[in-house]
Amino acid sequence: DAGVTQSPTHLIKTRGQQVTLRCSPKSGHDTVSWYQQALGQGPQFIFQYYEEEERQRGNFPDRFSGHQFPNYSSELNVNALLLGDSALYLCASSLAVGAREQYFGPGTRLTVT
Amino acid sequence: AQSVTQLGSHVSVSEGALVLLRCNYSSSVPPYLFWYVQYPNQGLQLLLKYTSAATLVKGINGFEAEFKKSETSFHLTKPSAHMRDAAEYFCAVSDPNQGGKLIFGQGTELSVKP
Protein backbone atom coordinates (compact mmCIF):
# COMPACT_ATOMS: atom_id res chain seq x y z
CA ASP A 1 0.00 0.00 0.00
CA ALA A 2 1.70 3.16 -1.23
CA GLY A 3 1.81 6.04 1.19
CA VAL A 4 1.76 9.71 0.30
CA THR A 5 4.27 10.56 -2.40
CA GLN A 6 5.60 13.96 -3.40
CA SER A 7 7.70 15.22 -6.28
CA PRO A 8 10.21 16.56 -6.76
CA THR A 9 12.29 15.90 -3.66
CA HIS A 10 14.33 19.06 -3.98
CA LEU A 11 14.37 22.01 -6.31
CA ILE A 12 16.05 25.36 -6.59
CA LYS A 13 14.35 28.38 -8.12
CA THR A 14 15.17 32.05 -8.61
CA ARG A 15 13.20 34.94 -7.16
CA GLY A 16 10.25 35.85 -9.36
CA GLN A 17 9.91 32.41 -10.92
CA GLN A 18 6.97 30.06 -10.60
CA VAL A 19 7.00 26.53 -9.19
CA THR A 20 4.66 23.53 -9.19
CA LEU A 21 4.84 20.80 -6.56
CA ARG A 22 2.97 17.52 -6.84
CA CYS A 23 1.37 15.12 -4.40
CA SER A 24 -0.26 11.72 -4.69
CA PRO A 25 -2.37 10.76 -1.68
CA LYS A 26 -2.35 7.48 0.16
CA SER A 27 -4.43 4.83 -1.56
CA GLY A 28 -8.10 5.30 -0.73
CA HIS A 29 -7.74 8.86 0.50
CA ASP A 30 -9.68 11.67 -1.16
CA THR A 31 -8.59 14.80 0.73
CA VAL A 32 -5.25 16.56 0.38
CA SER A 33 -3.82 19.31 2.57
CA TRP A 34 -0.64 21.33 2.01
CA TYR A 35 1.64 22.72 4.70
CA GLN A 36 4.71 24.97 4.61
CA GLN A 37 7.49 24.28 7.10
CA ALA A 38 10.15 26.97 7.31
CA LEU A 39 13.49 26.02 8.80
CA GLY A 40 13.22 25.56 12.55
CA GLN A 41 9.46 26.07 12.59
CA GLY A 42 6.36 23.95 12.84
CA PRO A 43 4.33 23.30 9.68
CA GLN A 44 1.76 25.95 8.72
CA PHE A 45 -1.47 25.08 6.93
CA ILE A 46 -1.74 26.45 3.39
CA PHE A 47 -4.99 24.92 2.08
CA GLN A 48 -7.03 21.76 1.74
CA TYR A 49 -8.65 20.19 -1.32
CA TYR A 50 -11.62 17.85 -1.46
CA GLU A 51 -13.76 16.95 -4.46
CA GLU A 52 -11.47 19.10 -6.62
CA GLU A 53 -12.33 22.25 -4.68
CA GLU A 54 -10.41 24.31 -2.13
CA ARG A 55 -12.26 23.75 1.15
CA GLN A 56 -10.13 25.64 3.64
CA ARG A 57 -7.31 28.13 3.36
CA GLY A 58 -4.70 29.33 5.80
CA ASN A 59 -3.12 32.76 5.99
CA PHE A 60 -1.20 32.62 2.71
CA PRO A 61 -1.31 35.13 -0.17
CA ASP A 62 -2.97 34.47 -3.51
CA ARG A 63 0.45 33.66 -4.99
CA PHE A 64 -0.18 30.23 -3.50
CA SER A 65 -2.74 28.27 -5.46
CA GLY A 66 -3.60 24.65 -5.92
CA HIS A 67 -5.51 22.08 -7.82
CA GLN A 68 -6.91 18.63 -7.22
CA PHE A 69 -7.43 16.16 -10.03
CA PRO A 70 -10.16 13.51 -10.43
CA ASN A 71 -7.70 10.84 -9.22
CA TYR A 72 -7.32 12.88 -5.98
CA SER A 73 -3.72 13.89 -6.66
CA SER A 74 -2.91 17.53 -6.11
CA GLU A 75 -0.61 20.32 -7.17
CA LEU A 76 0.64 23.35 -5.28
CA ASN A 77 1.63 26.34 -7.38
CA VAL A 78 3.57 29.32 -6.13
CA ASN A 79 3.98 32.39 -8.35
CA ALA A 80 6.43 35.28 -8.10
CA LEU A 81 8.69 33.40 -5.72
CA LEU A 82 10.23 35.28 -2.80
CA LEU A 83 13.28 34.32 -0.76
CA GLY A 84 10.91 33.75 2.16
CA ASP A 85 9.16 30.98 0.25
CA SER A 86 12.17 28.75 0.85
CA ALA A 87 10.83 25.89 2.97
CA LEU A 88 9.87 22.25 3.15
CA TYR A 89 6.43 21.80 1.59
CA LEU A 90 4.48 18.91 3.05
CA CYS A 91 1.45 17.21 1.61
CA ALA A 92 -0.94 15.29 3.85
CA SER A 93 -3.83 13.07 2.83
CA SER A 94 -6.86 11.83 4.70
CA LEU A 95 -10.10 10.02 4.14
CA ALA A 96 -12.65 12.82 3.94
CA VAL A 97 -12.57 16.33 5.31
CA GLY A 98 -12.35 16.39 9.09
CA ALA A 99 -10.79 12.96 9.32
CA ARG A 100 -9.10 12.17 12.59
CA GLU A 101 -5.82 11.20 11.00
CA GLN A 102 -3.67 12.72 8.28
CA TYR A 103 -0.75 10.96 6.65
CA PHE A 104 2.19 13.07 5.57
CA GLY A 105 4.49 12.68 2.61
CA PRO A 106 8.28 13.18 2.76
CA GLY A 107 8.03 16.74 1.53
CA THR A 108 9.58 18.86 -1.22
CA ARG A 109 12.48 21.09 -0.21
CA LEU A 110 12.22 24.38 -2.14
CA THR A 111 15.15 26.78 -2.14
CA VAL A 112 14.66 30.24 -3.64
CA THR A 113 17.84 32.15 -4.51
CA ALA B 1 -8.86 30.39 17.45
CA GLN B 2 -6.69 27.45 18.33
CA SER B 3 -3.03 27.47 19.28
CA VAL B 4 -0.33 25.19 20.63
CA THR B 5 2.63 25.99 22.84
CA GLN B 6 5.49 23.58 23.24
CA LEU B 7 7.60 24.38 26.27
CA GLY B 8 11.28 23.95 25.53
CA SER B 9 12.65 24.07 22.01
CA HIS B 10 15.35 21.60 22.97
CA VAL B 11 15.31 18.74 25.49
CA SER B 12 18.29 16.53 26.23
CA VAL B 13 18.09 13.24 28.15
CA SER B 14 20.38 10.31 28.78
CA GLU B 15 19.67 6.95 27.23
CA GLY B 16 17.33 5.03 29.54
CA ALA B 17 15.99 8.18 31.21
CA LEU B 18 12.41 9.42 31.21
CA VAL B 19 11.34 11.53 28.25
CA LEU B 20 8.86 14.35 28.93
CA LEU B 21 7.91 16.77 26.16
CA ARG B 22 5.42 19.44 27.13
CA CYS B 23 2.48 20.70 25.11
CA ASN B 24 -0.26 23.14 26.09
CA TYR B 25 -3.14 24.01 23.81
CA SER B 26 -5.82 26.62 23.49
CA SER B 27 -9.15 25.77 21.93
CA SER B 28 -12.70 27.08 22.23
CA VAL B 29 -14.12 23.64 21.42
CA PRO B 30 -13.17 20.11 22.50
CA PRO B 31 -10.11 19.51 20.36
CA TYR B 32 -8.39 16.66 18.65
CA LEU B 33 -4.72 16.52 19.71
CA PHE B 34 -1.75 14.89 18.03
CA TRP B 35 1.94 14.25 18.46
CA TYR B 36 4.10 13.86 15.34
CA VAL B 37 7.78 12.98 15.03
CA GLN B 38 10.08 14.22 12.29
CA TYR B 39 13.46 12.66 11.61
CA PRO B 40 16.06 14.71 9.69
CA ASN B 41 15.13 15.38 6.07
CA GLN B 42 11.88 13.44 6.38
CA GLY B 43 8.16 14.13 6.64
CA LEU B 44 5.99 13.79 9.72
CA GLN B 45 5.02 10.48 11.29
CA LEU B 46 2.02 10.25 13.61
CA LEU B 47 3.00 9.02 17.09
CA LEU B 48 -0.41 9.17 18.73
CA LYS B 49 -3.72 11.01 18.75
CA TYR B 50 -6.47 12.01 21.16
CA THR B 51 -9.94 12.20 19.64
CA SER B 52 -12.22 12.38 22.71
CA ALA B 53 -11.99 8.76 23.80
CA ALA B 54 -9.63 7.60 26.56
CA THR B 55 -7.60 10.45 28.06
CA LEU B 56 -4.44 8.34 28.29
CA VAL B 57 -3.33 7.59 24.78
CA LYS B 58 -0.70 5.04 23.82
CA GLY B 59 1.23 5.43 20.61
CA ILE B 60 4.01 3.85 18.67
CA ASN B 61 7.59 3.30 19.85
CA GLY B 62 6.57 3.24 23.53
CA PHE B 63 5.29 6.80 23.69
CA GLU B 64 2.12 7.87 25.46
CA ALA B 65 0.34 11.12 26.26
CA GLU B 66 -2.37 12.17 28.68
CA PHE B 67 -5.09 14.66 27.84
CA LYS B 68 -5.74 16.92 30.84
CA LYS B 69 -8.60 19.29 30.12
CA SER B 70 -8.24 21.21 33.39
CA GLU B 71 -4.61 21.99 32.57
CA THR B 72 -5.14 22.28 28.78
CA SER B 73 -2.14 20.01 28.40
CA PHE B 74 -1.18 17.00 26.29
CA HIS B 75 2.35 16.11 27.40
CA LEU B 76 4.26 13.31 25.68
CA THR B 77 6.17 10.76 27.76
CA LYS B 78 8.31 7.68 27.33
CA PRO B 79 9.67 5.77 30.33
CA SER B 80 13.06 4.98 28.86
CA ALA B 81 14.75 6.92 26.06
CA HIS B 82 16.58 5.19 23.24
CA MET B 83 19.15 6.68 20.90
CA ARG B 84 16.74 6.21 17.99
CA ASP B 85 14.25 8.58 19.68
CA ALA B 86 16.44 11.58 18.82
CA ALA B 87 14.28 13.68 16.48
CA GLU B 88 12.01 16.73 16.30
CA TYR B 89 8.61 16.35 17.95
CA PHE B 90 5.55 18.41 17.10
CA CYS B 91 2.31 18.77 19.02
CA ALA B 92 -0.74 19.71 16.96
CA VAL B 93 -4.39 20.59 17.56
CA SER B 94 -7.41 20.53 15.30
CA ASP B 95 -11.02 21.56 15.60
CA PRO B 96 -13.24 18.56 14.78
CA ASN B 97 -15.74 20.96 13.23
CA GLN B 98 -13.21 22.76 11.04
CA GLY B 99 -12.29 20.11 8.53
CA GLY B 100 -9.13 18.67 10.02
CA LYS B 101 -6.81 21.66 9.61
CA LEU B 102 -3.84 21.07 11.91
CA ILE B 103 -2.29 23.84 14.00
CA PHE B 104 1.26 22.91 15.02
CA GLY B 105 3.53 24.01 17.81
CA GLN B 106 7.06 25.19 17.12
CA GLY B 107 8.53 21.80 17.86
CA THR B 108 10.88 20.32 20.46
CA GLU B 109 14.18 18.79 19.44
CA LEU B 110 14.97 15.73 21.54
CA SER B 111 18.61 14.74 21.98
CA VAL B 112 19.57 11.43 23.61
CA LYS B 113 23.01 11.10 25.16
CA PRO B 114 24.68 7.69 25.42
Side-chain angles (χ1 to χ4, degrees):
Chain A
D1 179 20
V4 179
T5 60
Q6 293 185 244
S7 62
T9 305
H10 298 85
L11 75 166
I12 301 173
K13 291 287 188 178
T14 303
R15 270 184 306 175
Q17 287 188 316
Q18 179 264 345
V19 68
T20 297
L21 311 182
R22 296 176 175 83
C23 171
S24 291
K26 180 179 171 62
S27 178
H29 285 184
D30 57 9
T31 302
V32 173
S33 300
W34 287 92
Y35 294 81
Q36 180 195 65
Q37 185 180 16
L39 196 62
Q41 304 291 319
Q44 291 196 339
F45 176 79
I46 303 175
F47 42 53
Q48 179 187 69
Y49 277 84
Y50 173 68
E51 292 186 332
E52 302 180 47
E53 290 188 8
E54 183 181 293
R55 298 293 177 166
Q56 286 193 91
R57 189 178 183 90
N59 188 26
F60 280 81
D62 292 344
R63 298 187 298 108
F64 289 77
S65 63
H67 188 77
Q68 185 179 35
F69 299 93
N71 67 353
Y72 308 123
S73 67
S74 176
E75 288 182 349
L76 163 65
N77 301 292
V78 187
N79 295 322
L81 284 167
L82 303 173
L83 295 179
D85 295 332
S86 295
L88 180 68
Y89 288 85
L90 296 164
C91 170
S93 74
S94 58
L95 180 58
V97 173
R100 298 179 180 184
E101 198 161 322
Q102 295 185 34
Y103 292 80
F104 282 80
T108 293
R109 173 73 63 187
L110 171 64
T111 301
V112 182
T113 63
Chain B
Q2 296 182 305
S3 66
V4 171
T5 301
Q6 291 184 238
L7 301 176
S9 59
H10 189 100
V11 170
S12 181
V13 300
S14 298
E15 193 171 19
L18 171 71
V19 175
L20 171 61
L21 304 183
R22 300 177 186 274
C23 172
N24 288 90
Y25 70 91
S26 173
S27 179
S28 58
V29 300
Y32 289 166
L33 293 160
F34 308 83
W35 275 100
Y36 284 87
V37 61
Q38 185 175 38
Y39 297 99
N41 301 313
Q42 294 188 25
L44 302 176
Q45 180 183 11
L46 180 66
L47 278 177
L48 49 80
K49 63 181 185 289
Y50 167 77
T51 56
S52 73
T55 57
L56 181 61
V57 180
K58 294 187 183 298
I60 62 172
N61 301 339
F63 285 94
E64 64 180 38
E66 186 173 7
F67 171 69
K68 292 187 177 181
K69 182 179 178 181
S70 61
E71 299 177 8
T72 61
S73 69
F74 190 58
H75 302 331
L76 181 70
T77 61
K78 181 175 180 177
S80 177
H82 193 278
M83 296 296 291
R84 63 174 173 260
D85 296 327
E88 188 87 17
Y89 291 80
F90 292 96
C91 181
V93 64
S94 74
D95 179 342
N97 302 315
Q98 291 291 322
K101 163 187 168 182
L102 292 169
I103 305 296
F104 285 88
Q106 296 282 25
T108 297
E109 182 182 358
L110 175 66
S111 300
V112 182
K113 299 175 291 186

